[in-house]
């Protein structure tokens, strides 16, 4: 009864208006904003001695149109009992019930929580003013030991980044001791259906609000991960300190940035991401990571990165290194959609999303001890990566590949749709493991080299392969084709012939090819082997994954190395299980062609013989008729000279007869003389 009477009596002595005024003045001093209580104010005894003010409004700057900084259903203020009975008012606790909080960053960089331009901007000056008022019999200094938010909603608007995020179920408790004492914050909220908890501390909140750099720690915890920061911060915004992250689910954290969690593949953080490093964020908007260690599932990478703001997108520069990076399922025949037993499905037709190429620009160097693509292992890997306005370029300095190396350039261009291209050189690689991993074809033994220039356009792999353009060449050293004996097959004219070891051995293979509209064409395949040689030509439909190829083996060389039997072989059908058979029609055509050429040669010989006979006959008749001596092999000038000489003699004889002499008498007189 006595306690009840004391409690009721206390309600009558609580200075509600004075407490409400002091509380709103303190909030106004801290924020520099207009603070208004819109409803009734009445005293409370439980759970705290103090007042309850219905409706509280704390203004935002004029340029913010989304609403006030704080619009709360109710403000509960608790005071110190003993101080109240001695005639003083000491505010211990302020609780906002159901507040709507709006924080906004403008497109020009202004922030709505910049309290430095308020009516009483400097917290130190406000403290001095309060002390002077107390010395003159006024109110003593007033400070909240604890500020509480219950069931609040926080709306974050970033006009520059195009973000508008709302956090519900916000419960928080802020302890703000005076001076340089450490202020603490603990709270929880619901972000897109996920619960998020926070613990934070700042060495001097007033100094931080005034724009000073202060020491701070932060810990975030959610169902699926945790993150932490330990360093120094300012409201510029700027920070520098050690960052930690251990996450199995990134959704709640990325939701705070207005970004959906990506569907990461195994090996790149699908199951877990852990990261440590020293992060610096400057007030110019640049970010820097030093001594970064990032663990993605079972892979660990080391990073030194710098992020600056470009005109259209951020620019990332730096270096990434690591030991063995394992990415199961990203390589091999299954990933490519080819090879194996089921070719009916063909190449994948799923649309390839390259929108992420426009999120940032980048200049990175990559160095890995090994890259495991799930069966295909490349070691080591050294490459420079450039990303510019959606165009990603891999300048491959060196990639160890199947006992050899890969070098060149590979480009993925997302501008105006997707295109891929490259200029690659593959040198001295082991063919069997390479083709087994990437084409599920294990019949080729030995080593080889190849070069390839290519360009493909399309939004899915099937379209790219259907329209591929390019050219290249290949050169294989000594090796063998497993599964059939080509020499024995030709000797026996039997495609089912296997032979001992079921292998076709060769010394070298060379070929050049072109690619147009997804069709690879080759006209100069040459295989040199101890048993003979093979020449081939044909096409490969890369889009349909089919072959149409003819090879012509020359089998059983003689002592001079000249091939004996030559039987063409057709290779056609799907490249996973091609049909191999002798090309008897082609062989018949070749025999007909040889017979035609033989008959034409015989006819030409007979014609030449008849021409020679007629020429000899004409020559004999001319000699007899004209008294000439034309011989076989005389040229035109020689024949014309003989004819001219004979004509001159005949003219001379005719003249002598006309003038009464004769050629014989004249000759006799010349002899006598």
């Amino acid at each position: 009864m006595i306690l009840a009477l004391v409690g009721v009596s206390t309600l009558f002595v609580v200075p509600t208006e004075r407490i409400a005024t002091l509380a709103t003045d303190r909030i106004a001093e801290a924020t520099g904003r207009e603070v208004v209580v819109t409803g009734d104010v009445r005293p409370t005894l439980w759970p705290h001695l103090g007042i309850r003010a219905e409706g509280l409004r704390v203004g935002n700057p004029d340029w913010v149109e989304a609403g006030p900084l704080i619009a709360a259903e109710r403000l509960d203020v608790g005071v110190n009992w003993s101080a109240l009975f001695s005639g003083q008012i000491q505010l211990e606790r302020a609780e906002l019930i159901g507040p709507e909080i709006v924080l906004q960053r403008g497109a020009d960089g202004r922030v709505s929580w910049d309290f430095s331009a308020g009516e009483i901007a400097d917290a130190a000056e406000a403290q001095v003013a309060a002390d002077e008022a107390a010395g003159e019999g006024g109110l003593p200094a007033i400070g909240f030991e604890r500020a509480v938010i219950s069931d609040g909603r926080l709306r974050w608007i970033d006009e520059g980044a195009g973000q508008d995020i709302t956090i519900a179920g916000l419960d928080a408790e802020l302890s703000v001791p005076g001076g340089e004492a450490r202020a603490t914050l603990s709270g929880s909220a619901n972000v897109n259906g996920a619960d998020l908890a926070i613990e934070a501390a700042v060495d001097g909140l007033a100094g931080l609000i005034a724009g000073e750099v202060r020491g701070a720690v932060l810990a975030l915890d959610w169902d699926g991960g945790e993150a932490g920061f330990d360093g120094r911060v300012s409201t510029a915004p700027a920070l520098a300190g050690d960052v930690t992250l251990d996450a199995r689910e990134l959704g709640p954290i990325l939701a705070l940035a207005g970004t959906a969690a990506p569907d990461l593949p195994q090996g790149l953080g699908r199951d877990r991401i852990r990261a440590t490093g020293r992060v610096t964020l400057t007030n110019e908007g640049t970010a820097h990571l030093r001594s970064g260690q990032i663990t993605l599932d079972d892979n660990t990478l080391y990073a030194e990165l710098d992020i600056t703001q470009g005109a259209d997108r951020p620019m990332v520069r730096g270096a990434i290194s690591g030991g063995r990076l394992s990415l199961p399922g990203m390589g091999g025949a299954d990933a490519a959609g080819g090879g194996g037993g089921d070719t009916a499905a063909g190449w994948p037709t799923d649309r390839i999303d390259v929108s992420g190429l426009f999120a940032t620009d980048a200049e990175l160097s990559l160095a890995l001890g090994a890259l495991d693509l799930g069966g295909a292992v490349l070691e080591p890997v050294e490459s420079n990566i450039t990303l510019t306005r959606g165009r990603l370029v891999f300048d491959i300095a060196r990639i160890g590949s199947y006992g050899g190396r890969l070098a060149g350039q590979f480009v993925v261009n997302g501008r105006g749709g997707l295109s891929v291209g490259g200029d690659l050189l593959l040198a001295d690689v082991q063919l069997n493991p390479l083709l087994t991993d990437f084409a599920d074809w294990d019949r080729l033994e030995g080593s080889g080299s190849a070069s390839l220039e290519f360009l493909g356009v399309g939004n899915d792999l099937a379209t790219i392969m259907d329209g591929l353009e390019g050219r290249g060449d290949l050169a294989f050293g000594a090796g063998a084709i497993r599964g059939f004996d080509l020499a024995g097959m030709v000797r026996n004219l039997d495609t089912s012939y296997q032979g001992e070891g079921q292998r076709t051995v060769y010394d070298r293979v060379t070929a050049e090819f072109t690619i147009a509209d997804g069709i690879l064409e080759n006209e100069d395949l040459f295989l040199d082997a101890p048993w003979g040689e093979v020449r081939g030509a044909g096409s490969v439909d890369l889009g349909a994954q089919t072959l149409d190829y003819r090879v012509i083996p020359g089998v059983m060389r003689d002592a001079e190395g000249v091939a004996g039997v030559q039987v063409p072989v057709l290779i056609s059908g799907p490249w996973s299980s091609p049909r191999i058979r002798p090309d008897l029609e082609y062989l018949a055509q070749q025999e007909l062609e040889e017979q035609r050429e033989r008959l034409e040669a015989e006819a030409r010989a007979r014609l030449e013989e008849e021409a020679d006979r007629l020429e000899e006959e004409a020559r004999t008749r001319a000699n007899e008729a004209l008294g000439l001596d034309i011989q076989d092999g005389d040229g035109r000038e020689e024949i014309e000279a003989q004819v001219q000489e004979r004509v001159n003699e005949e003219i001379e004889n005719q003249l002598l007869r006309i003038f009464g002499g004769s050629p014989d008498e004249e000759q006799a007189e010349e002899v006598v003389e």
Side-chain angles (χ1 to χ4, degrees), residues 587-606:
L587 183 60
Q589 291 175 350
Q590 292 301 105
E591 291 178 350
L592 289 174
E593 181 67 21
E594 291 176 0
Q595 185 175 3
R596 184 183 66 81
E597 292 177 355
R598 178 176 57 79
L599 293 175
E600 288 179 352
E602 292 176 354
R604 282 194 299 269
R606 287 196 296 269

Side-chain angles (χ1 to χ4, degrees), residues 20-21 23-25 27-28 31 33-41 51-59 68-77 94-101 144 148-149:
T21 300
T24 55
D25 286 348
I27 297 173
T31 63
R33 306 289 167 76
E34 179 185 19
V35 180
V36 178
V37 174
T38 60
D40 296 334
V41 179
I51 64 162
R52 174 170 296 173
E54 300 292 339
L56 176 74
R57 181 185 178 93
V58 180
L69 175 68
I70 300 173
E73 298 175 4
R74 190 173 82 230
L75 169 65
D76 290 349
V77 178
E95 181 175 2
L96 295 173
I97 309 298
E100 299 277 349
I101 304 171
F144 295 112
V148 180
I149 295 175

Side-chain angles (χ1 to χ4, degrees), residues 177-298:
E180 299 298 316
R182 169 166 284 201
T184 61
L185 169 69
S186 62
S188 61
N190 187 275
V191 182
N192 288 350
D195 293 330
L196 178 71
I198 183 172
E199 297 285 341
V202 177
D203 295 332
L205 183 60
L208 178 67
I209 293 175
E212 299 175 4
V213 178
R214 294 293 181 178
V217 295
L218 171 69
L220 293 175
D221 187 276
W222 65 95
D223 185 17
E226 58 185 11
F229 171 81
D230 188 352
R232 297 175 65 79
V233 301
S234 76
T235 57
L239 60 83
D242 295 323
V243 172
T244 60
L245 171 69
D246 189 351
R248 297 175 300 279
E249 172 59 54
L250 283 174
I253 293 298
L254 294 179
L256 291 175
T259 303
D263 185 13
L264 298 173
Q266 178 66 37
L268 290 179
R270 186 187 70 181
D271 298 325
R272 190 170 190 179
I273 298 175
R274 287 171 289 176
T276 61
R278 184 160 186 83
V279 173
T280 300
L281 175 66
T282 69
N283 53 13
E284 289 84 11
T286 66
H288 311 271
L289 173 64
R290 294 294 180 267
S291 302
Q293 179 175 326
I294 305 169
T295 300
L296 306 172
D297 297 325
D298 295 326

Side-chain angles (χ1 to χ4, degrees), residues 338-410:
D342 182 13
T343 59
W347 300 103
T349 58
D350 297 336
R351 182 180 180 85
I352 302 173
D353 184 6
V354 293
S355 60
L357 295 178
F358 296 89
T360 183
D361 292 339
E363 294 176 359
L364 301 170
S365 65
L366 175 66
L368 300 173
L371 177 60
D372 185 347
L373 298 175
V377 180
L378 310 176
E379 52 183 343
V381 174
E382 297 176 7
S383 178
N384 292 320
I385 303 170
T386 304
L387 177 58
T388 307
R389 294 183 292 109
R391 185 174 184 267
L392 179 63
V393 179
F394 294 88
D395 284 309
I396 304 169
R398 179 170 66 105
I399 293 181
S401 176
Y402 298 93
R405 66 183 183 88
L406 172 67
Q409 188 179 84
F410 181 75

